[in-house]
């Protein structure tokens, strides 16, 4: 809502600047987003009188004018506007004047003729082109003939005004009109409120002789009123009205249309003026449109209507889309003499349906949608009729032809002084409360400490005690509310064990050198489940949003990896090729085609790595990321979570992954994730370098019950370390050997670690050599060589039996 | 005899003096102090001396031996020192060369901001509550006083999956769920951070996915002035002790009265600058007293219990705090962006 500061003064005395007023309004609850000065830096523009206007001797399109600026001598000004003429009062920028954009007016010579100033158009004075009345859109502005020569033109044009742009929350539709703002400002400033005085002298004729009104859709249109104004002369509206419309962002058209717009802005009541003689009948019938019914609206567009839309008809055809736009055939034109003025209450939901379907949003439709004060319908209609009588020479026929219930009753709300003070934490006196309610112009009764308030229909947002608490609080001033601390006993806060563990995982991942990424949960259907690691994941349904904004953001993901690959790609395209990232986010699984319950949500920890892992070039250190770099990171994580000994890696073929370099990870025997290299084909599709990824079900990892840490006595006896190197089939997993080593090594074997792998040419075809370092230890005593040898030989024998392993020579 | 010893001593000391390596010193040691050395030789002739002379010469011989020994030791340690110094000199490095990089990642700036806020409220006795990102219409809207026909819940603004299930548009459903779990008994004191989704076109200031942190306190006698106290503590700890806060009336369907909180600009201190759009104030969050309908729907007696709630956007806070100009950076994850928040 754009509020003219000058216009507001009609209703409330303002002893403060526009900026100060804006600050007070903002502090009391309605945010003033912008205070705009209509003077865009103009100085030196006065009212001039064009005494003489002749053709320029050397230029077809220029005229040479003598203009009286109220100074001793008239000045000569060359003007290029087609509409300049002798006898006009015009805005003139004198020599030395400044126009918007810091445009300075200097003495000039145009094609040999001296020009001492400039006759201005409204656009040159800073008015937006789309707001300039049509007749002046390609020329200078012509002012009323009574404008005083030599006086400041800005005051005539209201360019000394300020416009406050209100950012209204949905509950304050009451301030979508000047009177509503006036009520608000009067309450804030504790000032008197002057409402417009409306007097209509009706002629002898009755409006009901001209027209009948019927409503066939009472729910959509609880009230319809029509007034008749005859003997209208269509002309421009008075300059002050045009100025106010321009300030509010509405282009002046003619007196009748301007008046309906003016009253809309003033009262918030949309009005429509039909040319009575072009209605085509003496009847108004409001009904739902028929399916496929058509009409041409004011903007000359053919509109196709449906049963969801409400129309005003002449009994046969639609003449307006209710609350949205009038029809072209019954539009007020220059020869219009009789006007049918519509003042109605349409339900917002119906107006919204039409304005949405037709793509038409207007000042009227948005007000109906947000809700208008039904009890103001009459006041607005009479106000418009009186203005038409005054400024369009109209005669108002007696009465309003109407259908439906015009008035609705006012609601009640109650609040106690105690409630106000306990909710706000204040000690506001009863007298202050009464004073504030009076300033708000609410009627109320006081019963003990109970305030029973009659809520005016302009404020439908007030229904319960808390609403009144807010009203009292905001007028009292939120800056006067003290700062206190919660009375409730201090209970310790804290993270849940899960939340604490999740933070620990994040810190660990960051510590390994990975950066945390946050990516979008919505993706394409194809990518949403491009990576899976268990059968359960494959048997789920895509979760699509019903009205996606694009295919790219249409489906909820059940894997984080595609988005992480997108991140690698983004960086790769910017020549950032050494990247390690991780993300902890939700993934979603639907176990039914169409969701009847919420989908399953899990938290995944996923990562993507590409390029070099360690880079220390001047000392010749360079290590590419490979499977084992990533595996090492995860092993460290499992250790951190106390799960290391329960996790196994098993090679697995998974979609999009390198079949020989991908493994699932099992916690005990349950698959909790996977790790591996992106399939070279997938890699090419995504336009990536060699990349590795992992994905883990974090909820499962953090949900696993873990034994508490128990201190192990430090060794008191020496341990014995023996190495063992065996030759086995090349495709035998080292992990299997390790398992058997531990089984066979018995109690004494405490650690085994692989320290060599050889698959080179000195090896028999299809064979490889693996060397383990084995550590034997007994906490109770020093081991003898014989014991260790026995255990060691047992291991070797088992490896022979199980895998055909032979000792490497 | 003494003269002979005297001469040997001087001769040995000179040789020691002139020796240039440890080998030469070793030779000197053997030749003078060895069993076949000249001093031993001299002492063998002691038998010819008178009993009076013997101890005198003996003592002198020991003196000479000690003098040579200590001279030798001194020289050895000098030479050893020189060798060490030579070695150290050779081992000298250019300390300005770059060190071996330790790989260290860091948290996403939004995580950093969220954790900072979480920690702040944890110290004030709050717990962190979380809930599903896909929600029912009931928890996302209805339980928050946004019935089906409410204008503030345009279908256009939300990602619906079915008529009744949608991506949550706010973290407030966690509040509704938490209150419900309390079965009408206070106190409730939570903050709930998380991802939310709205049907907005992505641009520099809009994102269809973003973060929210909301707080909720429900108890007997919770007042707007208490909200002011909590928010003031938050503002000072988050943005600096000298921050002032201002509450302005506002509107949210789930609170009444509702407020917006501004803080005095941390850039200019309130004088007016481009950060605060020359107003001296920066809008940080929305808050209010929990609407009685919301309390009642969650099973609380709104006559007995009151509460406050507040909500803020970590993106906005991070953008203000670090001067980030485009919200999309948070979700693009350009490494050059992520790396800037090491100390965040």
């Amino acid at each position: 809502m754009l509020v003219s500061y000058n216009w507001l003064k009609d209703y409330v005395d303002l002893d403060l600047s526009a900026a100060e007023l804006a600050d007070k309004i903002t502090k009391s609850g309605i945010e003033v987003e912008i205070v705009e000065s209509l003077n865009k830096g103009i100085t030196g523009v006065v009212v001039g009188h064009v005494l003489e206007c002749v053709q320029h001797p050397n230029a077809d399109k220029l005229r040479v004018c003598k203009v009286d600026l109220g100074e001793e001598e008239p000045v000569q000004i060359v003007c290029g506007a087609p509409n300049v003429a002798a006898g006009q009062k015009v805005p003139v920028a004198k020599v030395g004047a400044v126009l918007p954009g810091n445009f300075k007016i200097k003495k000039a010579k145009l094609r040999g003729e001296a020009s001492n100033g400039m006759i201005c158009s409204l656009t040159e004075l800073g008015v937006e082109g789309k707001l300039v009345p049509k007749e002046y859109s390609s020329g200078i502005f012509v002012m009323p003939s009574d404008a005083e020569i030599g006086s400041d033109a800005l005051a005539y044009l209201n360019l000394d005004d300020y416009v406050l742009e209100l950012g209204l929350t949905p509950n304050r539709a009451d301030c979508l009109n000047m009177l509503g703002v006036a009520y608000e400002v009067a309450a804030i400033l504790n000032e008197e409120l002057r409402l417009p005085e409306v007097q209509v002298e009706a002629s002898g004729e009755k409006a009901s002789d001209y027209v009948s009104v019927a409503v066939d859709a009472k729910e959509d249109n609880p009230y319809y009123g029509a007034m008749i104004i005859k003997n209208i002369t269509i002309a421009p509206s008075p300059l002050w009205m045009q100025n106010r419309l321009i300030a509010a962002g509405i282009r002046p058209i003619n007196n009748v249309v301007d008046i309906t717009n003016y009253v809309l802005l003033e009262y918030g009541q949309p009005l429509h003026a039909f040319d009575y003689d072009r209605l085509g009948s003496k009847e108004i019938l409001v009904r739902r449109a028929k399916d496929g019914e058509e009409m041409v609206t004011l903007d000359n567009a053919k509109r196709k209507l449906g049963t969801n839309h409400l129309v005003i008809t002449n009994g046969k055809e639609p003449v307006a889309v209710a609350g949205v736009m009038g029809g072209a055939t019954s539009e007020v034109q220059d020869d219009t003499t009789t006007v049918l003025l519509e003042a109605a209450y349409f339900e917002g939901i119906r107006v919204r349906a039409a304005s949405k379907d037709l793509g038409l949003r207007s000042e009227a439709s948005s007000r109906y949608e947000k809700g208008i004060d039904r009890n103001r319908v009459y006041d607005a209609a009479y106000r418009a009729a009186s203005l038409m009588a005054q400024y369009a020479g109209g005669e108002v026929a007696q009465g309003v032809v109407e259908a439906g219930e015009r008035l609705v009753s006012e609601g009640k709300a109650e609040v106690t002084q105690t409630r106000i003070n306990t909710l706000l934490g204040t000690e506001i006196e009863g007298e202050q409360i009464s004073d504030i309610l009076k300033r708000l112009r609410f009627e109320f009764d006081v019963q003990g400490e109970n305030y029973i308030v009659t809520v005016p229909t302009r404020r439908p947002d007030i229904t319960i005690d808390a609403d009144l608490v807010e009203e009292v609080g905001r007028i009292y001033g939120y800056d006067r509310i003290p700062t206190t601390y919660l009375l409730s006993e201090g209970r310790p806060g804290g993270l849940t064990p899960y939340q604490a563990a999740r933070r620990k995982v994040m810190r660990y991942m960051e510590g390994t050198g990975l950066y945390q990424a946050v990516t979008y949960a919505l993706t394409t259907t194809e990518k949403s489940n491009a990576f899976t690691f268990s059968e359960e994941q494959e048997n789920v349904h895509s979760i699509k949003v019903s009205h996606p904004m694009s295919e790219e953001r249409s489906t909820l993901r059940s894997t984080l990896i595609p988005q992480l690959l997108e991140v690698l790609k983004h960086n790769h395209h910017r020549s950032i090729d050494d990247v390690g990232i991780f993300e902890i986010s939700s993934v979603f699984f639907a176990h039914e085609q169409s969701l009847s319950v919420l989908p399953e949500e899990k938290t995944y920890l996923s990562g993507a790595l590409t390029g070099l892992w360690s880079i220390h070039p001047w000392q010749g250190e360079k290590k590419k990321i490979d499977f084992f770099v990533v595996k090492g990171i995860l092993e460290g994580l499992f250790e951190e979570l106390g799960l290391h000994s329960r996790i196994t890696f098993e090679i697995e073929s998974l979609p999009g992954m390198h079949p020989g370099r991908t493994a699932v990870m099992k916690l005990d025997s349950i698959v909790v994730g996977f790790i591996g290299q992106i399939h070279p084909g997938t890699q090419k599709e995504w336009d990536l370098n060699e990349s590795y990824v992992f994905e883990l079900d974090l909820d499962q990892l953090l949900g696993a019950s873990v034994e508490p840490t128990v201190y192990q006595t430090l060794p008191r006896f020496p341990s014995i370390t023996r190495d063992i190197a065996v030759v086995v089939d090349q495709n035998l997993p080292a992990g299997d050997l390790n398992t058997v080593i531990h089984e066979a090594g018995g109690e004494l074997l405490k650690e085994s670690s692989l320290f060599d792998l050889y698959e080179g040419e000195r090896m028999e075809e299809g064979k490889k050599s693996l060397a383990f370092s084995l550590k034997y230890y007994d906490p109770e005593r020093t081991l003898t060589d014989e014991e260790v040898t026995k255990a060691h030989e047992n291991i070797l024998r088992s490896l022979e039996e199980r895998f055909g392993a032979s000792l490497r020579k | 005899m003494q003269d002979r010893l005297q001469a040997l001593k001087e001769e040995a000391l000179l040789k020691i003096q002139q020796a240039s390596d440890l080998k030469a010193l070793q030779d000197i040691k053997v030749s003078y102090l060895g069993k076949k050395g000249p001093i031993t030789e001299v002492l063998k002739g002691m038998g010819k001396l008178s009993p009076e002379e013997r101890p005198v010469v003996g003592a002198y011989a020991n003196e000479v031996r000690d003098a040579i020994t200590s001279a030798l030791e001194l020289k050895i340690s000098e030479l050893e020192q020189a060798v060490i110094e030579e070695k150290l000199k050779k081992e000298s490095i250019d300390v300005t060369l770059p060190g071996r990089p330790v790989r260290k990642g860091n948290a996403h700036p939004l995580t950093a901001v969220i954790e900072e806020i979480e920690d702040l409220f944890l110290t004030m006795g709050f717990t962190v509550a979380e809930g599903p990102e896909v929600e029912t219409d009931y928890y996302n809207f209805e339980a928050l006083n946004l019935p089906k026909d409410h204008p503030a819940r345009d279908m256009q603004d939300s990602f619906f999956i079915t008529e009744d299930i949608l991506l949550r548009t706010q973290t407030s459903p966690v509040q509704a769920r938490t209150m419900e779990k309390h079965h009408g008994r206070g106190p409730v004191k939570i903050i709930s951070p998380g991802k939310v989704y709205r049907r907005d076109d992505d641009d520099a200031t809009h994102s269809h996915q973003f973060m929210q942190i909301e707080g909720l306190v429900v108890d007997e006698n919770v007042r707007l002035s208490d909200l002011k106290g909590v928010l003031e503590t938050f503002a000072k700890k988050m943005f600096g002790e000298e921050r002032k806060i201002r509450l302005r009336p506002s509107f949210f369907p789930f609170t009444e009265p509702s407020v917006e909180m501004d803080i005095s600009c941390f850039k200019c201190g309130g004088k007016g600058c481009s950060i605060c759009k020359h107003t001296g104030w920066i809008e940080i969050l929305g808050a209010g007293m929990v609407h009685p309908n919301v309390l009642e729907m969650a099973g609380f007696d709104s006559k007995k219990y009151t509460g406050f709630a507040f909500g803020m956007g970590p993106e906005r806070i991070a953008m203000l705090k670090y001067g980030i100009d485009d919200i999309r950076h948070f979700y693009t994850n350009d490494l050059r962006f992520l790396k800037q928040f090491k100390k965040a």
Side-chain angles (χ1 to χ4, degrees), chain A residues 405-662:
Chain A
E405 282 297 318
R406 180 168 64 84
L407 292 173
V408 284
S409 56
E410 293 170 317
K412 298 254 188 223
E414 294 182 28
V415 70
T416 64
Q417 185 183 351
T418 310
R419 180 71 169 168
I420 290 171
N421 285 320
T422 49
L423 209 54
L424 295 177
T426 47
E427 286 168 11
I428 304 176
E429 306 277 338
E431 217 170 281
Q432 284 173 289
I433 295 169
S434 300
D435 178 54
I436 289 169
L437 293 175
K438 278 180 205 152
R439 282 164 66 174
L440 288 163
R441 277 135 187 111
F442 293 169
E443 282 174 27
F444 61 95
D445 282 329
V446 190
Q447 287 175 7
E449 66 144 26
N450 200 17
Y451 291 78
I452 302 151
V453 177
T454 306
V455 182
T457 49
R458 66 188 155 84
R459 291 297 306 272
D461 58 309
I462 295 168
T463 55
I464 58 167
D465 60 353
D467 298 322
L468 288 170
V469 172
E470 178 169 68
E471 288 302 304
V472 172
R474 71 188 187 89
I475 299 298
Y476 176 75
Y478 279 8
D479 47 354
R480 291 168 70 191
I481 293 173
T483 299
T484 57
Y485 298 92
L486 287 167
L487 297 171
S488 62
E489 58 189 302
R491 282 160 197 261
L495 296 174
T496 63
Y498 174 87
Q499 289 162 350
R502 192 178 50 199
R503 278 202 187 187
K504 184 176 162 179
V505 170
M506 279 195 254
R507 293 301 92 77
Y508 170 80
M509 297 311 294
E510 292 154 25
T512 65
L514 303 190
Y515 289 88
Q516 189 190 20
V518 179
T519 60
Y520 295 134
L522 286 171
T523 181
T524 63
T525 307
E526 197 192 349
K527 285 179 194 162
S528 70
N529 59 353
F531 295 87
T532 52
F533 58 84
S534 73
E535 234 167 79
E536 192 207 344
Q537 288 176 326
E538 284 161 24
N539 294 333
V540 294
H541 301 273
S542 300
I543 307 171
K544 292 189 191 183
V545 298
S546 53
H547 295 96
M549 298 170 72
S550 66
E551 169 57 22
E552 198 57 34
R553 306 269 168 256
S554 64
T555 311
L556 278 173
R557 60 182 169 183
S558 55
T559 166
L560 306 182
I561 290 186
Q563 270 71 31
L564 295 180
L565 294 182
E566 293 280 4
V567 173
L568 295 193
K569 184 160 106 181
H570 167 92
N571 282 290
H572 175 49
H573 287 173
R574 282 152 190 81
S575 301
I576 305 164
D577 289 324
D578 304 324
V579 182
I581 48 167
F582 77 98
E583 175 165 8
I584 295 178
S585 280
S586 296
V587 288
F588 307 85
F589 299 97
H591 302 291
E592 50 190 344
Q593 181 74 46
S594 170
L595 287 179
S596 62
V597 293
L598 294 184
E600 186 183 6
E601 277 187 47
K602 294 180 179 184
T603 307
Y604 274 9
L605 160 65
S606 307
L609 298 90
T610 184
L612 292 173
W613 181 242
S614 67
I615 318 151
H616 187 43
W618 75 267
Q619 287 191 319
E621 209 180 312
K622 222 176 199 188
K623 164 87 183 132
K624 264 180 70 176
I625 286 163
D626 61 18
F627 181 90
F628 299 100
V629 165
V630 187
K631 185 178 178 187
I633 291 173
L634 297 185
E635 284 173 326
L637 173 70
F638 299 139
E639 224 166 327
E640 188 106 346
L641 299 177
L643 300 171
H644 189 52
S645 59
R646 291 160 61 188
I647 296 274
T648 49
F649 290 75
E650 287 173 21
I651 194 156
E652 186 76 76
S653 275
L654 293 176
M657 300 301 295
H658 189 307
R661 295 185 176 181
T662 298

Side-chain angles (χ1 to χ4, degrees), chain A residues 596-729:
Chain A
S596 62
V597 293
L598 294 184
E600 186 183 6
E601 277 187 47
K602 294 180 179 184
T603 307
Y604 274 9
L605 160 65
S606 307
L609 298 90
T610 184
L612 292 173
W613 181 242
S614 67
I615 318 151
H616 187 43
W618 75 267
Q619 287 191 319
E621 209 180 312
K622 222 176 199 188
K623 164 87 183 132
K624 264 180 70 176
I625 286 163
D626 61 18
F627 181 90
F628 299 100
V629 165
V630 187
K631 185 178 178 187
I633 291 173
L634 297 185
E635 284 173 326
L637 173 70
F638 299 139
E639 224 166 327
E640 188 106 346
L641 299 177
L643 300 171
H644 189 52
S645 59
R646 291 160 61 188
I647 296 274
T648 49
F649 290 75
E650 287 173 21
I651 194 156
E652 186 76 76
S653 275
L654 293 176
M657 300 301 295
H658 189 307
R661 295 185 176 181
T662 298
V664 290
M665 289 170 273
K666 289 183 174 174
L667 171 63
D668 302 328
S669 58
I670 299 154
V671 179
V672 290
F674 77 100
I675 171 177
Q677 183 186 335
I678 293 290
H679 193 288
T682 316
Q683 178 191 319
K684 203 175 160 196
E685 255 170 63
W686 283 81
D687 190 15
L688 297 171
N689 291 331
E690 186 174 310
S691 302
Y692 293 83
V693 297
F694 65 86
E695 186 145 80
L696 283 163
D697 184 334
L698 192 63
D699 294 339
Q700 290 223 43
L701 291 182
L702 301 187
S705 59
V706 176
E707 298 287 312
T709 302
V710 177
Y711 161 71
Q712 304 286 308
T713 323
L714 297 181
R716 283 182 293 153
F717 302 97
S719 60
I720 293 177
T721 301
R722 294 243 177 122
D723 293 348
I724 186 171
V726 289
V727 176
V728 292
D729 284 347

Side-chain angles (χ1 to χ4, degrees), chain A residues 23 26-31 169-171 352 356 419 421-425 464-467 469-470 474 478-489 491-496 498-499 502-503 506-507 509-522 543-549 553 556-557 567 570-571 574 576 578-586 588 594-599 601 612-616 618-619 621 625, chain B residues 97-101 103-108 110-111 114-115 118-119 122 124-136 149 151-152 154-156 159-162 165 167 177 186-187 189 195 197-202 207-209 211 217 219 221-230 232-233 246-251 256-260 283 289 291-293 302-303 305-306 308 328 330-336 338-339 342:
Chain A
D23 190 50
T26 295
K27 276 192 194 156
S28 310
I30 293 172
E31 193 179 354
T169 48
N171 61 327
R352 185 162 154 192
K356 206 176 122 191
R419 180 71 169 168
N421 285 320
T422 49
L423 209 54
L424 295 177
I464 58 167
D465 60 353
D467 298 322
V469 172
E470 178 169 68
R474 71 188 187 89
Y478 279 8
D479 47 354
R480 291 168 70 191
I481 293 173
T483 299
T484 57
Y485 298 92
L486 287 167
L487 297 171
S488 62
E489 58 189 302
R491 282 160 197 261
L495 296 174
T496 63
Y498 174 87
Q499 289 162 350
R502 192 178 50 199
R503 278 202 187 187
M506 279 195 254
R507 293 301 92 77
M509 297 311 294
E510 292 154 25
T512 65
L514 303 190
Y515 289 88
Q516 189 190 20
V518 179
T519 60
Y520 295 134
L522 286 171
I543 307 171
K544 292 189 191 183
V545 298
S546 53
H547 295 96
M549 298 170 72
R553 306 269 168 256
L556 278 173
R557 60 182 169 183
V567 173
H570 167 92
N571 282 290
R574 282 152 190 81
I576 305 164
D578 304 324
V579 182
I581 48 167
F582 77 98
E583 175 165 8
I584 295 178
S585 280
S586 296
F588 307 85
S594 170
L595 287 179
S596 62
V597 293
L598 294 184
E601 277 187 47
L612 292 173
W613 181 242
S614 67
I615 318 151
H616 187 43
W618 75 267
Q619 287 191 319
E621 209 180 312
I625 286 163
Chain B
L97 283 168
R100 185 181 185 282
R103 272 193 83 112
K104 178 80 177 74
N106 53 254
H108 191 279
L110 291 176
T111 304
I114 289 170
E115 288 187 359
E118 280 179 355
D119 290 346
L122 290 176
M124 289 193 253
F126 283 70
T127 55
V128 177
E130 293 170 301
E133 289 172 33
V134 179
E135 260 297 359
T136 60
D149 57 349
D154 200 325
M155 285 283 283
Q156 297 296 316
F159 287 113
F160 275 88
I161 294 164
T162 69
I165 294 175
L167 303 196
R177 284 174 179 274
K189 211 171 168 190
K195 297 191 179 94
Y197 305 85
R198 289 193 196 164
R199 269 185 111 257
D200 264 332
D201 279 314
D202 295 339
S207 181
H208 74 277
Q209 174 183 322
M211 303 279 190
V217 173
D219 203 350
N221 299 314
V222 174
R223 304 157 295 176
L224 185 64
S225 56
D226 299 325
L227 170 65
K228 221 172 163 180
V230 164
E232 196 172 279
T233 309
R246 160 175 106 168
L247 298 186
R248 278 185 290 114
S250 188
F251 170 77
E256 186 75 32
S258 303
V259 298
E260 302 242 20
E283 197 176 309
M289 302 305 290
H291 197 287
N293 292 356
S302 68
K303 297 249 175 340
Y305 283 101
T306 53
F308 62 71
R328 288 169 294 198
F330 292 115
Y331 297 97
T332 310
N333 300 289
D334 191 301
L335 215 63
R336 295 164 299 183
L338 295 179
K339 278 183 173 176
K342 283 246 189 289

